[in-house]
Amino acid sequence: MYDMYRENILDHAQNPRHHGLLENATIDHEEDNPLCGDHIHLTLRVSEDGTILEAGWEGDGCAISQASASMLTEEIVGKTLEEVRAIDKQHIFDMLGIPLSMNRVKCALLSLKVLKVGAYGLADWQKMQDEEEA
Ligand code: ZN
């Protein structure tokens, strides 16, 4: 039953959506996952009222990390920063749709971390970590 999700992940990894960095981005942030060697650089163009008009990213690393970035950018374009703020880890797991080992979780969440830290600051991301551990 996971085949469909696996195929979707491979498709996103091989044909990434919104690939390529934006010029004059409103938000520009990058992060690494040293455990796997994944790297994601995300740029967003945000309107004055906080709507994400365009997203562009580049990165390298494993299929999970790259597919997650591709799917996430596809999902956030057209939404407001306020709406995007509600995206949590579970949302990413549901989006990928396959069971992930502990090591793979970091790969899957790298794009979300780049988005959250870039858009709302490191404190916001850390708060999410703390809330889940509590
Ligand atoms: Zn990885």
Side-chain angles (χ1 to χ4, degrees), residues 33 36-38 61-65 103-104 106-108:
N33 168 26
C36 181
D38 307 317
C62 65
I64 295 276
S65 68
N103 289 339
R104 288 293 175 196
K106 293 255 183 205
C107 303

Side-chain angles (χ1 to χ4, degrees), residues 48-92:
E48 299 228 333
D49 70 353
T51 304
I52 298 172
L53 302 173
E54 221 178 325
W57 66 281
E58 278 180 4
D60 50 293
C62 65
I64 295 276
S65 68
Q66 304 304 298
S68 159
S70 175
M71 290 181 198
L72 188 61
T73 50
E74 204 171 45
E75 174 141 354
I76 62 178
V77 171
K79 292 193 171 140
T80 66
L81 285 176
E82 208 45 50
E83 287 168 326
V84 164
R85 197 165 200 159
I87 295 177
D88 59 6
K89 294 178 181 181
Q90 191 56 49
H91 189 97
I92 302 291

Side-chain angles (χ1 to χ4, degrees), residues 5 12 28 34 43 48-49 100 113 121 134:
Y5 288 105
H12 273 274
D28 183 326
T43 52
E48 299 228 333
D49 70 353
L100 298 166
K113 183 179 181 187

